[in-house]
Amino acid sequence: MQTQLGSAVFPRLLRRSLSYIPSILYSLHSLLNLFHFFRFLSNSSPQSQKHKEMASPFLSNTIISFSSSLSSSSSLPRLAPSIPFSAIRSKSTPRRILTVRSKIREIFMPALSSTMTEGKIVSWVKSEGDVLSKGESVVVVESDKADMDVETFYDGILAAIVVGEGETALVGAAIGVLAETEDEIAEAKAKAASKSGASTPSAPPPAPTPAAASTPAPPKSTPAPAAPTVAEGPRKTVATPYAKKLAKQHKVDIESVVGTGPYGRITPEDIDAAAGLSPSKKNVGLAVVVETKPAAPAKAPAASAAPSSLPPPVPGSTVVPFTTMQSAVSKNMVESLSVPTFRVGYPVTTDALDALYEKVKPKGVTMTALLAKAAAMALAQHPVVNSSCKDGKSFTYNSNINIAVAVAINGGLITPVLQDADKLDLYLLSQKWKELVEKARAKQLQPQEYNSGTFTLSNLGMFGVDRFDAILPPGQGAIMAVGASKPTVVADADGFFSVKNKMLVNVTADHRIIYGADLAAFLQTFSKIVENAESLTL
Amino acid sequence: MHSTLSFSRATTVPTTNYAFHSQSPINLRFCGLRREAFGISILTRSSSGRVRLSTRGRSKRISASTGNNGTPPKSFDYDLIIIGAGVGGHGAALHAVEKGLKTAIIEGDVVGGTCVNRGCVPSKALLAVSGRMRELQSEHHMKALGLQVSAAGYDRQGVAGHANNIASKIRSNLTNSMKALGVDILTGFGTIVGPQKVKYGKVGFTDNVVTAKDIIIATGSVPFVPKGIEVDGKTVITSDHALKLEFVPDWIAIVGSGYIGLEFSDVYTALGSEVTFIEALDQLMPGFDPEISKLAQRVLINPRKIDYHTGVFATKITPARDGKPVIIELTDAKTKEHKDTLEVDAALIATGRAPFTNGLGLENINVVTQRGFVPVDERMRVIDANGNLVPHLYCIGDANGKMMLAHAASAQGISVVEQVTGRDHVLNHLSVPAACFTHPEISMVGLTEPQAREKAVKEGFEISVAKTSFKANTKALAENEGEGLAKLIYRPDNGEILGVHIFGLHAADLIHEASNAIALGTRIQDIKFAVHAHPTLSEVLDELFKSAKVLDMKTLRKMKS
């Protein structure tokens, strides 16, 4: 039972069961849509009591409700193009490892399993100069799952072996060169020589071989000056077995991580933290500095040319690659630049809302639910603000009003969605919100629960932010940024002064579908609803 | 009273076994024993006569302790005395009683020996826990079965208690089984003072001298600790300490990747530790069939929180003290140069076991041990310094080093009893199975593929290899444990089974069909017609035998002509 290249590949030994795939998809998807960006225009004044309930979680909890949005399923397909071309091809056509280029063919490292990113040459069955005929086994490759015989699909002469026994190569990298006739051996050998010299795979490697690996590691010459323990001289890095495995998996340069474990060793938590996955439990002053190099996942191959234009990294700084969530945010942020947005701000008097809140709070109603309900009721009267522009040519009116509320979780951002917020009553809505937050904390949100929003609400009031500006998530028409409510001196038409609680809301909208007057009218309605807060309970 | 234990049942020895000729000594490395500590054990029929210059000879302590040294007594207190009440001694004692011998067993420590008290038995208790932890922690596995389990945890004290309870239970079972049969249990350390004469006694008490027509040495082994390693029993430990599970370190280095090391890595990783293997040879799991060890590495090592250093010796290990962790100096096995220094929370020394034969009084009968092992021939008869057989003295089990496995010791003991009761018997060690109780398990019997190839070349026959996967087995799939391989090495010309190796769910229980076939001399062409219940894991072996291609007579004749 041997592997016929170009047809289904069968393991010679057992393949390990395909066990690891599922979780990745989920997390990728959850992160897709997230993005957010706020500019703090100013920062002042005592913050109103009103957002107290949201303010507390700042340090103690993983979840803070601020910031924004999400982009529905439309962004999913966009992920695809980011997978290198070769990977797609190798999936759609039967796996092919020999490509035709003149009469000299390269033998590529085949992808023997769905999770294989690199393979080790166990042995070359044939040696240089051997004549091969189609179907003969040429090389034995060890993948993450099994050893497999790899057969040639062409007749020819094995002109040169690029990757020797015991060495590893990325999937898609040339491991040998096949010449069709003896005359071409010399040429093929020259080709092989250039290959082994360059050591970079000639075909773009599949997805998970990003720049990180080749990114020049932070200057090695500066041995982390931050070593917290009294280091006698350059201290040797001690990392636990699992920490090493994780570092390899997440492409974290282990030398750049400062260990927080016993005796200063690097623990798996340290690596997770460095990779931005989950925060390490105990660290406070973990010296992981994000920065110095925008990890440009889009142009990995060009990386060698790029650095010259960038300022050299500050000595001692640390490069930490984006996590999948952060990459997704980054991608969405850049994408959002293609949408022409504008912003309209509006001061809203919240005395009535505050009074209502005090009244319903004991019943478990949260400020988030109140605001979402108010926004939903306003949207019901202004369907255009609840619409979106999918193709640049039309309005897409959404039949439901689903309010996404941005929530910060450690190392990222997620937007649980309150579906049909206009139809549910305040109490149900609060109940629903509580469930969503719990699920978000446990990372158990279903896709439907974070990507079905039609309008996003982002609130930074609990930090004392008086106004800010949110970026419109791709796939939605508008996003509302809510600042803190604070006592403000107001003069009425008769010239009487009074002090009222005022809150600034700022809506960012897609001007292709929502115009200034639309937004202004929507905000006016929203303001009226908030000022007559009792209607929220109806 | 449940006095009969499973292994004591092994007493009925298949008659065909008697026909077997002595096989050349096999050099399987069970119990992770170092090769160097082995090999030499069996230069028995010595044409190479006078080799035995003891490297660590017993000091000249004794010599004149008994006046009538050399004259065997005329009548005996016992027909058979067994020194050491481990599994080997126990098996021999039970069989001796069955054969009508008046039997005594001398034990200086506790009945049950290493296996029951500090080996197979308590480790199986720990492995039972680790297997369940592994299942419960495997979200993927649980999900595939449709189960929901919230975070699995364990109570260290409870786990340790389970291991301890099972050991004491088995121990009392053993004791009772012997008492019930009328075996005298004599307490104290036994010393041979002359032919057919043994003295025993506790330290500080007067010794008793007893005589017996035949004597079996079954003193077993102790963990082997290489030089430079300081065992403190807390952070630098042997399997003896580890089985008490007094603490579960965050990070433990295991020196030696044989059976013992492998099983403990299974336990420790399931309980949340990270593990670093230190192996002197170039490959992990050197005792196993290479193909099996490669697969096992993919399943048991690579996906777990384990890393390893191969081709290195741990030349110096210092226990944790003065606020410092355990420090391990690694030296390259070939260049002898310092290679690396590890800092870990604990180190488990699993470099094999050394025979426990000191103080046996072997010098009184002119026997010199080989690195502690008592030299024996294939009938377990002890050989003296001149290469002559010592009459009426036998040595079984770890003390002779032929095959350091509890059930091998028991089988050897039974073989000896057969001989002293008048039936010649030679144990075929190639039919003794071995198992490693990781998750999944590894088991084997007979030769590995390289050993078989070597033998085939030497003796001029062909071998073939057949393999089947657990993935094709219904029961394994129902259990969602389709990972595994069974491998058969055989002679296509006559259908003889040379070796079977299994890696997969319940491999340790599956091996016996193959080991029995080897013991009984059953050929593939016959066993392939045996019927297996469906659906069971045993069908893996059924498939295996059926997939083997034994040449029929016609083809054979054609080949010959």
Side-chain angles (χ1 to χ4, degrees):
Chain A
M1 133 172 123
Q2 290 191 323
T3 301
Q4 179 82 299
L5 298 174
S7 64
V9 177
F10 287 111
R12 189 152 222 221
L13 280 187
L14 289 175
R15 254 202 239 186
R16 299 203 37 226
S17 56
L18 303 165
S19 36
Y20 308 106
I21 307 161
S23 61
I24 304 168
L25 283 179
Y26 167 73
S27 56
L28 237 179
H29 193 191
S30 74
L31 305 173
L32 273 183
N33 318 334
L34 304 175
F35 63 92
H36 191 75
F37 186 69
F38 5 75
R39 266 165 252 152
F40 296 81
L41 297 179
S42 68
N43 192 352
S44 60
S45 66
Q47 133 190 25
S48 140
Q49 286 301 84
K50 121 181 198 202
H51 297 308
K52 196 169 58 181
E53 53 122 355
M54 292 165 165
S56 57
F58 185 31
L59 287 174
S60 56
N61 267 328
T62 46
I63 305 224
I64 309 168
S65 107
F66 73 95
S67 79
S68 96
S69 85
L70 121 162
S71 77
S72 78
S73 53
S74 71
S75 54
L76 185 57
R78 287 189 197 133
L79 192 67
S82 75
I83 298 166
F85 201 62
S86 65
I88 288 174
R89 201 178 39 184
S90 75
K91 258 174 206 155
S92 55
T93 64
R95 290 188 184 104
R96 179 193 310 157
I97 65 158
L98 296 177
T99 53
V100 187
R101 272 185 213 163
S102 74
K103 285 176 181 172
I104 296 167
R105 299 187 171 94
E106 286 172 357
I107 303 174
F108 294 135
M109 174 63 72
L112 300 176
S113 72
S114 53
T115 54
M116 176 172 167
T117 57
E118 59 174 30
K120 182 177 168 188
I121 308 287
V122 177
S123 61
W124 281 93
V125 181
K126 301 287 178 183
S127 40
E128 291 187 6
D130 283 1
V131 178
L132 312 176
S133 48
K134 184 177 159 182
E136 263 188 303
S137 144
V138 181
V139 60
V140 182
V141 170
E142 177 183 336
S143 74
D144 52 343
K145 310 251 194 267
D147 289 353
M148 293 179 216
D149 276 22
V150 176
E151 294 174 11
T152 169
F153 213 46
Y154 299 94
D155 296 337
I157 297 164
L158 183 59
I161 288 170
V162 178
V163 179
E165 290 181 5
E167 293 174 37
T168 53
L170 296 172
V171 169
I175 55 175
V177 182
L178 193 67
E180 197 158 273
T181 63
E182 283 191 25
D183 308 333
E184 286 150 357
I185 290 182
E187 193 189 331
K189 278 197 166 156
K191 194 169 181 178
S194 68
K195 281 279 171 285
S196 51
S199 91
T200 43
S202 60
T209 49
S214 59
T215 314
K220 272 234 173 81
S221 53
T222 53
T229 44
V230 192
E232 60 289 346
R235 205 186 138 74
K236 173 173 163 324
T237 311
V238 177
T240 72
Y242 189 46
K244 285 184 204 156
K245 272 187 189 166
L246 278 179
K248 201 171 167 198
Q249 199 181 322
H250 297 314
K251 307 221 160 25
V252 171
D253 177 13
I254 209 149
E255 297 291 331
S256 68
V257 179
V258 174
T260 62
Y263 314 105
R265 77 169 65 124
I266 297 165
T267 63
E269 289 82 29
D270 294 338
I271 301 291
D272 276 347
L277 282 185
S278 61
S280 73
K281 285 168 242 155
K282 24 194 164 177
N283 77 312
V284 194
L286 188 64
V288 207
V289 193
V290 186
E291 233 191 331
T292 62
K293 180 153 291 189
K299 38 181 178 178
S304 56
S308 57
S309 64
L310 292 166
V314 180
S317 59
T318 309
V319 178
V320 178
F322 282 157
T323 60
T324 34
M325 180 185 271
Q326 289 159 344
S327 305
V329 171
S330 166
K331 193 167 141 294
N332 269 335
M333 287 303 86
V334 174
E335 228 165 68
S336 73
L337 292 176
S338 64
V339 177
T341 55
F342 74 113
R343 294 149 192 90
V344 175
Y346 205 98
V348 180
T349 308
T350 61
D351 294 79
L353 186 71
D354 295 342
L356 175 67
Y357 179 50
E358 284 309 316
K359 226 161 71 189
V360 294
K361 198 167 142 191
K363 294 173 191 164
V365 175
T366 62
M367 185 51 81
T368 301
L370 284 168
L371 289 171
K373 179 72 180 167
M377 285 169 69
L379 285 169
Q381 295 177 39
H382 301 271
V384 73
V385 183
N386 195 44
S387 73
S388 58
C389 181
K390 307 271 187 210
D391 53 3
K393 292 180 206 151
S394 62
F395 294 79
T396 302
Y397 286 98
N398 295 303
S399 50
N400 298 344
I401 295 174
N402 298 338
I403 308 287
V405 184
V407 165
I409 59 173
N410 273 325
L413 182 62
I414 197 151
T415 53
V417 175
L418 288 165
Q419 295 184 0
D420 294 321
D422 58 325
K423 298 198 180 79
L424 294 180
D425 74 38
L426 209 44
Y427 305 101
L428 278 176
L429 215 52
S430 300
Q431 183 63 35
K432 186 85 194 149
W433 179 243
K434 224 177 117 194
E435 287 169 23
L436 287 171
V437 168
E438 271 164 22
K439 276 188 176 175
R441 275 197 190 122
K443 300 195 171 152
Q444 283 173 347
L445 284 177
Q446 299 300 308
Q448 185 61 18
E449 290 171 325
Y450 59 79
N451 68 9
S452 58
T454 57
F455 179 88
T456 301
L457 191 63
S458 179
N459 184 358
L460 286 179
M462 59 285 205
F463 295 110
V465 168
D466 73 337
R467 77 196 88 170
F468 70 105
D469 158 26
I471 285 185
L472 181 66
Q476 287 183 26
I479 176 170
M480 179 187 278
V482 181
S485 171
K486 53 182 184 174
T488 311
V489 178
V490 186
D492 70 9
D494 301 326
F496 289 111
F497 289 98
S498 62
V499 174
K500 299 219 182 269
N501 284 334
K502 287 250 179 199
M503 161 179 97
L504 286 171
V505 297
N506 191 12
V507 178
T508 306
D510 182 345
H511 208 301
R512 290 174 299 177
I513 46 172
I514 302 163
Y515 303 164
D518 296 330
L519 214 47
F522 164 73
L523 280 166
Q524 196 176 20
T525 309
F526 177 76
S527 170
K528 284 235 172 72
I529 292 168
V530 170
E531 279 159 23
N532 298 291
E534 287 300 325
S535 66
L536 291 172
T537 59
L538 298 177
Chain B
M1 187 70 243
H2 283 258
S3 55
T4 324
L5 293 160
S6 53
F7 35 85
S8 66
R9 285 283 101 210
T11 43
T12 35
V13 177
T15 41
T16 41
N17 232 7
Y18 295 84
F20 262 95
H21 260 120
S22 71
Q23 298 283 346
S24 56
I26 16 151
N27 199 2
L28 294 177
R29 282 182 65 223
F30 293 125
C31 291
L33 195 82
R34 277 263 156 83
R35 198 160 277 164
E36 68 209 33
F38 218 109
I40 9 71
S41 58
I42 326 124
L43 18 106
T44 52
R45 291 134 288 175
S46 26
S47 47
S48 61
R50 58 191 56 230
V51 191
R52 328 256 150 62
L53 298 171
S54 167
T55 41
R56 59 173 96 127
R58 194 110 5 76
S59 58
K60 35 221 132 173
R61 189 171 65 88
I62 269 229
S63 67
S65 64
T66 44
N68 57 347
N69 193 6
T71 13
K74 301 247 157 48
S75 68
F76 302 102
D77 300 331
Y78 292 100
D79 295 324
L80 179 65
I81 286 181
I82 301 159
I83 306 175
V87 169
H90 177 262
L94 257 53
H95 193 59
V97 170
E98 193 185 309
K99 288 287 182 175
L101 301 184
K102 189 183 180 208
T103 309
I105 196 160
I106 300 176
E107 178 54 59
D109 187 23
V110 281
V111 171
T114 297
C115 170
V116 173
N117 299 296
R118 301 172 298 274
C120 339
V121 171
S123 69
K124 293 307 99 49
L126 297 185
L127 282 158
V129 172
S130 82
R132 283 172 176 78
M133 279 298 285
R134 241 171 238 301
E135 264 177 40
L136 295 174
Q137 286 166 345
S138 168
E139 235 171 78
H140 165 70
H141 182 87
M142 285 291 157
K143 221 180 244 170
L145 293 173
L147 287 174
Q148 287 171 349
V149 179
S150 56
Y154 69 93
D155 160 35
R156 186 199 55 77
Q157 195 66 52
V159 177
H162 172 54
N164 191 38
N165 288 344
I166 184 97
S168 52
K169 185 168 187 180
I170 305 273
R171 183 165 61 230
S172 70
N173 283 351
L174 282 187
T175 313
N176 292 335
S177 71
M178 291 195 291
K179 276 186 183 155
L181 290 171
V183 175
D184 284 350
I185 301 176
L186 313 174
T187 311
F189 286 94
T191 304
I192 297 165
V193 292
Q196 296 168 299
K197 195 176 282 180
V198 179
K199 80 171 180 197
Y200 70 96
K202 283 182 181 163
V203 182
F205 290 86
T206 44
D207 290 345
N208 303 300
V209 176
V210 283
T211 57
K213 185 169 164 291
D214 293 289
I215 297 169
I216 297 178
I217 298 168
T219 45
S221 62
V222 291
F224 169 70
V225 178
K227 260 196 293 182
I229 296 177
E230 185 186 336
V231 171
D232 71 346
K234 294 195 174 64
T235 55
V236 180
I237 57 178
T238 66
S239 56
D240 288 4
H241 311 107
L243 288 166
K244 292 184 190 143
L245 201 72
E246 273 166 1
F247 91 123
V248 178
D250 288 344
W251 183 6
I252 185 165
I254 298 181
V255 186
S257 65
Y259 280 40
I260 302 176
L262 214 50
E263 291 190 354
F264 274 108
S265 79
D266 196 281
V267 171
Y268 279 116
T269 52
L271 299 184
S273 303
E274 296 182 40
V275 169
T276 296
F277 269 121
I278 298 165
E279 171 59 52
L281 298 176
D282 289 335
Q283 287 243 306
L284 288 179
M285 296 177 256
F288 299 87
D289 183 87
E291 201 169 347
I292 296 288
S293 76
K294 200 163 194 178
L295 179 62
Q297 185 169 338
R298 285 207 180 96
V299 178
L300 302 175
I301 309 274
N302 296 350
R304 296 186 181 171
K305 296 176 179 179
I306 300 176
D307 69 351
Y308 50 84
H309 301 262
T310 53
V312 290
F313 289 123
T315 35
K316 186 162 188 271
I317 300 184
T318 319
R321 61 166 87 100
D322 307 328
K324 281 188 186 151
V326 175
I327 295 168
I328 303 177
E329 303 279 342
L330 296 183
T331 304
D332 192 293
K334 289 190 189 91
T335 62
K336 308 289 175 207
E337 276 165 14
H338 175 83
K339 206 169 172 193
D340 208 347
T341 304
L342 302 181
E343 295 176 11
V344 294
D345 297 319
L348 168 66
I349 313 305
T351 44
R353 301 185 61 86
F356 180 63
T357 52
N358 261 345
L360 252 179
L362 292 170
E363 56 284 341
N364 298 334
I365 42 167
N366 193 27
V367 171
V368 176
T369 58
Q370 294 294 322
R371 297 203 186 197
F373 291 108
V374 177
V376 294
D377 72 352
E378 79 275 8
R379 288 176 173 79
M380 311 302 141
R381 294 178 292 198
V382 175
I383 298 169
D384 73 10
N386 303 321
N388 300 320
L389 293 177
V390 179
H392 306 294
L393 184 64
Y394 301 82
C395 178
I396 61 168
D398 289 4
N400 71 30
K402 266 184 181 292
M403 197 179 212
M404 298 178 83
L405 290 169
H407 50 273
S410 186
Q412 289 171 354
I414 289 161
S415 171
V416 168
V417 170
E418 285 291 293
Q419 291 169 52
V420 302
T421 51
R423 295 183 73 179
D424 189 25
H425 181 270
V426 176
L427 175 69
N428 175 14
H429 283 91
L430 285 175
S431 72
V432 177
C436 184
F437 295 84
T438 44
H439 297 93
E441 296 171 342
I442 311 169
S443 64
M444 66 185 72
V445 64
L447 304 174
T448 63
E449 191 177 334
Q451 285 168 341
R453 291 207 182 278
E454 199 185 313
K455 187 176 174 186
V457 169
K458 214 183 281 171
E459 298 178 18
F461 58 84
E462 292 285 311
I463 64 162
S464 292
V465 173
K467 288 174 214 163
T468 51
S469 161
F470 277 63
K471 233 168 231 157
N473 181 275
T474 312
K475 186 71 189 306
L477 291 178
E479 299 280 343
N480 197 28
E481 304 262 10
E483 203 147 47
L485 171 80
K487 176 176 174 178
L488 166 70
I489 302 147
Y490 64 103
R491 284 180 66 155
D493 57 345
N494 62 11
E496 184 189 347
I497 300 169
L498 300 174
V500 174
H501 303 264
I502 311 175
F503 175 75
L505 185 63
H506 294 309
D509 292 315
L510 293 176
I511 195 69
H512 298 96
E513 184 170 11
S515 64
N516 288 350
I518 293 178
L520 299 171
T522 314
R523 303 286 156 127
I524 292 168
Q525 54 271 38
D526 300 322
I527 202 169
K528 75 201 304 181
F529 291 109
V531 180
H532 298 73
H534 176 76
T536 58
L537 291 171
S538 71
E539 288 169 297
V540 171
L541 283 194
D542 189 25
E543 285 282 313
L544 188 64
F545 294 132
K546 289 194 163 103
S547 69
K549 305 252 180 305
V550 180
L551 303 173
D552 55 28
M553 292 313 282
K554 251 186 228 162
T555 335
L556 267 178
R557 247 176 261 134
K558 217 179 278 170
M559 280 168 63
K560 274 181 187 154
S561 62

